Amino acid sequence: GQNIDQPTEMTATEGAIVQINCTYQTSGFNGLFWYQQHAGEAPTFLSYNVLDGLEEKGRFSSFLSRSKGYSYLLLKELQMKDSASYLCAVFDSNYQLIWGAGTKLIIKP
Amino acid sequence: DAMVIQNPRYQVTQFGKPVTLSCSQTLNHNVMYWYQQKSSQAPKLLFHYYDKDFNNEADTPDNFQSRRPNTSFCFLDIRSPGLGDAAMYLCATSRGGTGADTQYFGPGTRLTVL
């Protein structure tokens, strides 16, 4: 079966750095997305990786290793507004989007 | 601003009473999706339209139907809502070109079934 694993919940301190990991086992791979979802709201697009390496976009960076079936989202200079769930999603060989259950990130002052 | 709009944001219905959720988009995207998301779970794809072509997920219950009368609008009809259908319903769109396609979500409709 197809599977995406993320930690259920993480806690970090305002101003710090946090890394949210995602591992996947899918039938083929055509790219990996990270979405941010605030409580009671819709997911918003953060990043897309299809090649190995690090993509940096402001305070957020996303890394991919296709050989390891692994990605992480790195959030720097954490702000209280970064408290949200972060969802990892993978396009399989048929371009079906397989979603993880999300990692709830709690930021403490 | 181009966007995906869902109405209503909150919907309350009674057990067994049909309900319709609506989605519209100004992005002129070819593909529209309906997802069901329950608390702390991944979004679950119910179905999607590529233009007028309807694609139903194999495990989507018959209780859920959809209509796309034109490019801009898509509706989710729940014929006889049960208590287990209480969830957030997310509409998303994508351009629909070849290859990987970013999905853009509306704000969602939270459905409560009494």
Side-chain angles (χ1 to χ4, degrees):
Chain A
Q2 310 208 82
N3 196 47
I4 305 235
D5 288 312
Q6 308 178 233
T8 303
E9 187 174 296
M10 298 181 70
T11 302
T13 305
E14 190 177 16
I17 299 173
V18 71
Q19 177 175 311
I20 303 173
N21 295 325
C22 169
T23 57
Y24 61 89
Q25 302 89 39
T26 55
S27 55
F29 176 83
N30 278 305
L32 183 145
F33 293 86
W34 283 98
Y35 280 84
Q36 180 191 60
Q37 186 175 28
H38 285 100
E41 298 182 12
T44 55
F45 170 76
L46 288 178
S47 66
Y48 171 69
N49 293 67
V50 67
L51 299 176
D52 290 348
L54 187 69
E55 297 267 350
E56 298 188 69
K57 198 184 286 187
R59 294 190 297 115
F60 293 8
S61 303
S62 55
F63 171 83
L64 175 67
S65 169
R66 288 172 296 171
S67 62
K68 295 181 179 177
Y70 167 70
S71 172
Y72 67 73
L73 181 68
L74 190 72
L75 292 76
K76 302 176 187 175
E77 301 168 18
L78 286 170
Q79 302 175 10
M80 298 303 293
K81 68 179 182 179
D82 297 330
S83 292
S85 287
Y86 292 85
L87 294 100
C88 174
V90 172
F91 265 134
D92 69 8
S93 57
N94 295 319
Y95 290 99
Q96 297 285 327
L97 196 58
I98 312 301
W99 290 86
T103 298
K104 183 178 180 180
L105 178 63
I106 299 168
I107 309 296
K108 295 186 173 179
Chain B
D1 284 343
M3 57 196 332
V4 183
I5 302 160
Q6 289 188 245
N7 286 304
R9 293 291 309 275
Y10 300 90
Q11 176 73 59
V12 180
T13 191
Q14 292 182 336
F15 184 94
K17 185 174 180 181
V19 66
T20 295
L21 310 182
S22 74
C23 176
S24 63
Q25 53 126 344
T26 60
L27 297 160
N28 204 31
H29 282 174
N30 291 317
V31 191
M32 295 186 79
Y33 308 81
W34 278 106
Y35 286 90
Q36 180 193 66
Q37 188 180 26
K38 297 187 176 180
S39 181
S40 301
Q41 295 184 19
K44 179 183 182 300
L45 183 63
L46 297 173
F47 22 60
H48 73 277
Y49 277 92
Y50 194 117
D51 288 333
K52 294 182 179 180
D53 292 333
F54 177 69
N55 298 273
N56 197 33
E57 294 301 300
D59 57 353
T60 298
D62 292 340
N63 195 28
F64 291 88
Q65 303 285 320
S66 185
R67 297 169 282 136
R68 189 179 184 185
N70 54 52
T71 302
S72 301
F73 285 87
C74 195
F75 299 97
L76 170 62
D77 300 309
I78 308 177
R79 294 194 295 190
S80 182
L83 297 178
D85 296 328
M88 175 77 90
Y89 289 88
L90 297 166
C91 174
T93 73
S94 67
R95 191 173 292 117
T98 56
D101 210 12
T102 301
Q103 294 183 18
Y104 297 92
F105 286 83
T109 295
R110 180 164 294 283
L111 178 68
T112 300
V113 181
L114 301 177

